[in-house]
Amino acid sequence: MFASDLVSERRWAEGLNQEQAAAVHHDGGPLLVVAGAGSGKTRTLVARVARLIDTGVPAERILLLTFTRRAAAEMLRRVDHLVNRSTSGRVWGGTFHGISHRLLRRFSPAVGLAEGFTILDQADTEAMFGLLRAERGLGEKGMRFPKKETIAAIYSRVVNQQAKLDEIVSKHFPWCVDHQDPIRQLFRDYTARKREHNVIDYDDLLLFWRALMESPASEAVQGLFDHVLVDEYQDTNRIQADILAGMCETALPTVVGDDAQAIYGFRAAEVENMWEFESRFAGTRRITLDQNYRSTPQVLAVANAVMAEAETGYEKNLWSVRQDGPVPGLVACHDEPTQAEYVCEQVLALRELGIPLRDQAVLFRTSHHSAGLEVELGRRNIPFVKFGGLKFLEAAHIKDLTSMLRIASNPEDELAWNRVLQLIPGIGPATAQRLLQRAVGKAEVDGTGVIEAFCELDIPVPAEARPILAELQAALRDVTAEPERPPAVQVDRLSEFCTQVFDRRYEDAAVRLGDIAQLGKMASPHKTRNTFLADLALDPPNSTSDLAGPPHLDDDYLILSTIHSAKGGEWRAVFVIHASDGNIPSDMSLGEPGGLDEERRLFYVALTRARDHLNVTVPQRYYHRRFGGDSAHSYAPPSRFIEPARTFFAESAAAPSVESAASIGLVTDKDVVGDFLESLWG
């Protein structure tokens, strides 16, 4: 063995516990790693990839599937470090959707997909359904018809769960039962329109990959890899499980996940994929990682007690060698304002003890649960950042520019044309559609491209709009004349059109133009426009200037997050608020099969984000008129998930301050008894 091999072996093998080492060294068959919260699953997966490379598996014969591209990039960076060389750069690492896009660019003819296709994001899908809905006159003449967002949600669930439309509608969208026939026709129109304009949506990426497994190209695709490794396997849907089975007819699968953290059923994820892995892949070896490296024994005692009540899943009991920490707090708060006051006071107290705000998090079931807390944080001048909000690409101004890039890549992209044309004053939806039809017709007659034909159209617009139209035509000419220009240069060219448009269209034009400049920086590492657009659609960034006042990066700030958005995170101190029945578990989830179990897992995820300090708060009263000045209220019992863990909490109560009580009419300056007696004496 060479000296460099000894160094790399020490790196990837160093510090592994017995179960982790068994997973890393496993050979000869399918492997299922049941990795409890904080048990070092990422470290284990990284070490396994490094060991495969070190023992002679060509890096390019390894496929690593994760649920974010950033996670894959970070894992492969760590692999590079462990093997002491950059061979891991050849590993195929990315999301299911990202790898599908890469394969389809190579094998698209095998599944009847034309080259040069572009990808619709969720907002684009909704927009296309809105267009088709309008074309069929649905929703007109006073008829109440589902909105485009609901139609898109039904479509995605049907595709990802591979279930019949009537089954999905009756179970998840019962208010749409009377509209199934027109919805079914909309789905047919949508499929035809996508094919006509050479676009595919997010769900199509998985469908086409699975179709590759049944196409003449299947052996070529399967033959690319010797090992397929999947992270967060509990969050896969049925199509992804089928894809893995198809890819692993010859390759060896390794999947890692925690069924106790399966919380994405609303996205059609099926934890059953993990439970059925051993029956689907004969000869599977299962290894359980239950040593937790994150939390104190006190936090784990609460989490274990909560999950002990689950009726299904792999049995595991998390344990830790960390020193004892503070006993988690279960705090009964008089009402919501009291809860907000308590959290703020504790956050500031922990800050004084040396725990920065950014190492503290407040978690909640639903986004609006933080509304009262946000008001109190603002009153106390405590900065915060809230996760689970608007995505960068959902911001209107970003979609304006990316739509122009999409036109340059795929001139048949109807949605992109409609959006861009309506940026010109005087052009509405109907006019935009007519202009596109004119451009397509002219291109067919002249034998030119659609963009060239559009640029030669004589378009009647108001006088003030003529320079804007001319700038759009010039910009589209420039970015298509030299398609080999770096995407960052193309973004810069198109931003000149944005400069003319945004002042008229948006109030905060300067801030939005700054976002466009940031988009140009994001484009810099990419060599082609198509790869840049694909990366934006498949793994979008999370921030936007549309969010309210984020602090500077060097500021300290408290983390507010929905529990779903907090998965994968960890903080020294965690507050789980609104832990009352009806909120956790959400009463909206209890009618779903398996809904209660998923809500229990969601609570477990929240608890296991805490490293040292954990506080769970339960408001006892919810006021019917929160800002109405009266005390009409309902009582809320603690979450049913708390009772099994009650002995592991230190219980306390928080009463409202005088100021808070007065604000809801619980304190008065009136002499009530004196006034009553005066009425008798009167």
Side-chain angles (χ1 to χ4, degrees):
M1 184 176 289
F2 295 106
S4 60
D5 294 330
L6 290 172
V7 171
S8 64
E9 181 177 357
R10 283 199 297 269
R11 283 180 174 170
W12 57 256
E14 185 178 29
L16 298 175
N17 64 37
Q18 183 176 349
E19 289 75 21
Q20 291 171 337
V24 169
H25 287 276
H26 171 74
D27 283 321
L31 175 64
L32 168 63
V33 180
V34 181
S39 63
K41 73 172 180 63
T42 300
R43 179 183 184 182
T44 303
L45 199 55
V46 166
R48 179 160 175 77
V49 173
R51 183 225 166 215
L52 289 173
I53 293 173
D54 248 2
T55 54
V57 177
E60 62 272 16
R61 307 276 307 168
I62 298 173
L63 173 60
L64 174 63
L65 292 164
T66 64
F67 273 79
T68 70
R69 190 171 55 121
R70 286 178 290 275
E74 173 59 20
M75 285 187 190
L76 296 182
R77 185 194 65 78
R78 291 170 62 177
V79 169
D80 278 345
H81 173 72
L82 292 179
V83 299
N84 200 32
R85 54 189 186 274
S86 61
T87 55
S88 62
R90 302 195 305 272
V91 173
W92 285 55
T95 65
F96 273 92
H97 295 85
I99 296 298
S100 174
H101 176 261
R102 186 173 172 182
L103 290 171
L104 289 174
R105 290 295 179 193
R106 183 170 171 179
F107 296 103
S108 58
V111 288
L113 187 62
E115 294 182 2
F117 63 86
T118 49
I119 303 170
L120 304 178
D121 61 22
Q122 180 179 344
D124 296 325
T125 294
E126 293 172 358
M128 184 174 284
F129 274 121
L131 185 66
L132 297 169
R133 181 181 184 271
E135 287 179 1
R136 287 196 169 269
L138 300 171
E140 296 179 0
K141 301 178 182 179
M143 182 178 71
R144 182 178 178 271
F145 192 79
K147 292 185 176 181
K148 60 183 181 181
E149 295 84 0
T150 302
I151 298 168
I154 295 172
Y155 176 84
S156 184
R157 192 175 276 271
V158 167
V159 171
N160 283 292
Q161 288 191 204
Q162 299 291 278
K164 297 291 186 182
L165 172 62
D166 55 357
E167 176 187 339
I168 292 297
V169 170
S170 61
K171 184 182 296 185
H172 302 286
F173 304 89
W175 63 93
C176 302
V177 167
D178 294 337
H179 304 293
Q180 289 186 70
D181 288 340
I183 288 175
R184 185 176 288 107
Q185 185 57 52
L186 280 176
F187 289 177
R188 294 191 182 105
D189 293 346
Y190 175 68
T191 302
R193 189 67 65 89
K194 285 188 297 179
R195 194 170 191 83
E196 178 185 353
H197 294 281
N198 198 27
V199 296
I200 63 176
D201 62 29
Y202 203 63
D203 297 325
D204 288 334
L205 286 165
L206 299 182
L207 291 175
F208 276 112
W209 188 357
R210 189 175 67 177
L212 271 178
M213 299 296 94
E214 301 170 357
S215 76
S218 61
E219 290 187 9
V221 177
Q222 293 164 348
L224 291 172
F225 308 108
D226 296 325
H227 291 269
V228 179
L229 301 94
V230 184
D231 190 21
E232 304 286 7
Y233 192 66
Q234 78 279 351
D235 293 331
T236 54
N237 61 33
R238 187 170 301 178
I239 304 175
Q240 290 165 326
D242 289 345
I243 288 171
L244 180 66
M247 293 295 293
C248 292
E249 287 189 9
T250 55
L252 291 176
T254 295
V255 301
V256 181
D258 182 7
D259 56 328
Q261 297 186 69
I263 59 174
Y264 293 115
F266 66 97
R267 295 181 185 169
E270 297 187 16
V271 66
E272 290 81 5
N273 289 337
M274 188 170 180
W275 293 337
E276 295 169 0
F277 184 86
E278 291 170 277
S279 60
R280 194 162 194 176
F281 293 91
T284 293
R285 181 183 180 188
R286 187 206 312 170
I287 297 174
T288 300
L289 308 182
D290 53 9
Q291 181 178 352
N292 179 285
Y293 293 89
R294 175 188 301 154
S295 306
T296 63
Q298 285 70 25
V299 170
L300 295 181
V302 171
N304 285 332
V306 168
M307 281 309 297
E309 299 294 306
E311 296 182 356
T312 56
Y314 296 112
E315 185 176 345
K316 69 181 80 70
N317 194 62
L318 298 181
W319 59 279
S320 174
V321 295
R322 285 195 58 192
Q323 293 183 349
D324 286 348
V327 177
L330 177 60
V331 185
C333 300
H334 183 272
D335 51 23
E336 293 176 89
T338 306
Q339 175 181 249
E341 290 181 345
Y342 171 81
V343 170
C344 288
E345 289 166 2
Q346 293 301 310
V347 163
L348 293 175
L350 289 170
R351 180 173 176 268
E352 290 301 311
L353 292 175
I355 301 178
L357 293 179
R358 71 176 70 196
D359 213 0
Q360 302 183 50
V362 182
L363 309 182
F364 32 86
R365 173 64 178 82
T366 305
S367 183
H368 69 80
H369 285 170
S370 67
L373 176 61
E374 291 176 44
V375 172
E376 185 67 14
L377 290 168
R379 189 178 73 82
R380 295 179 183 240
N381 198 30
I382 301 175
F384 64 89
V385 169
K386 184 175 179 179
F387 289 92
L390 187 67
K391 300 290 186 183
F392 185 76
L393 291 186
E394 292 171 0
H397 54 295
I398 298 298
K399 290 196 70 66
D400 293 339
L401 191 136
T402 56
S403 292
M404 288 186 279
L405 288 173
R406 283 169 47 191
I407 289 172
S409 286
N410 177 15
E412 298 177 11
D413 193 328
E414 177 186 28
L415 286 178
W417 273 111
N418 273 281
R419 184 179 190 93
V420 171
L421 290 175
Q422 290 181 62
L423 295 174
I424 301 170
I427 295 182
T431 304
Q433 193 71 15
R434 286 196 298 271
L435 285 175
L436 178 56
Q437 291 171 355
R438 283 180 57 194
V440 171
K442 180 175 174 58
E444 292 175 351
V445 172
D446 297 348
T448 61
V450 176
I451 293 176
E452 183 179 346
F454 166 75
C455 292
E456 294 176 356
L457 288 179
D458 180 18
I459 303 173
V461 294
E464 68 273 14
R466 289 172 190 162
I468 298 175
L469 174 61
E471 174 58 28
L472 174 61
Q473 291 173 323
L476 289 176
R477 279 197 193 99
D478 288 346
V479 297
T480 54
E482 298 184 42
E484 68 280 359
R485 283 181 177 176
V489 175
Q490 297 183 41
V491 170
D492 185 58
R493 175 64 185 92
L494 294 172
S495 67
E496 297 178 27
F497 170 73
C498 296
T499 301
Q500 294 193 27
V501 171
F502 285 4
D503 279 335
R504 298 168 178 261
R505 193 172 183 84
Y506 303 114
E507 292 182 1
D508 51 351
V511 176
R512 293 175 187 261
L513 287 170
D515 276 354
I516 298 300
Q518 182 64 29
L519 191 69
K521 294 179 181 178
M522 292 166 54
S524 295
H526 295 81
K527 296 181 180 180
T528 69
R529 183 173 56 227
N530 282 340
T531 58
F532 176 53
L533 286 171
D535 281 347
L536 284 179
L538 298 175
D539 194 25
N542 292 315
S543 62
T544 168
S545 63
D546 281 2
L547 292 172
H552 296 294
L553 292 178
D554 57 350
D555 287 344
D556 198 12
Y557 50 85
L558 179 68
I559 304 297
L560 306 186
S561 178
T562 63
I563 302 172
H564 285 100
S565 296
K567 186 172 178 290
E570 59 180 72
W571 296 271
R572 287 184 63 188
V574 167
F575 298 84
V576 183
I577 63 174
H578 287 289
S580 53
D581 235 49
N583 291 326
I584 306 177
S586 168
D587 52 10
M588 300 291 290
S589 301
L590 300 184
E592 296 275 337
L596 182 62
D597 286 341
E598 181 155 325
E599 290 291 302
R600 186 191 311 278
R601 296 193 293 264
L602 191 66
F603 188 49
Y604 172 82
V605 166
L607 300 174
T608 54
R609 299 311 94 195
R611 294 205 299 268
D612 304 319
H613 299 266
L614 173 64
N615 283 281
V616 178
T617 60
V618 184
Q620 296 177 308
R621 303 184 185 200
Y622 285 86
Y623 294 99
H624 300 162
R625 299 174 62 202
R626 186 175 299 173
F627 305 109
D630 64 55
S631 59
H633 64 274
S634 299
Y635 285 99
S639 169
R640 67 191 73 181
F641 302 144
I642 291 175
E643 187 59 36
R646 202 149 200 156
T647 57
F648 300 106
F649 280 109
E651 298 191 44
S652 61
S657 65
V658 173
E659 179 183 357
S660 175
S663 71
I664 56 174
L666 299 182
V667 176
T668 177
D669 294 331
K670 294 181 179 179
D671 183 357
V672 180
V673 174
D675 290 347
F676 171 70
L677 293 175
E678 182 67 31
S679 70
L680 296 178
W681 295 333

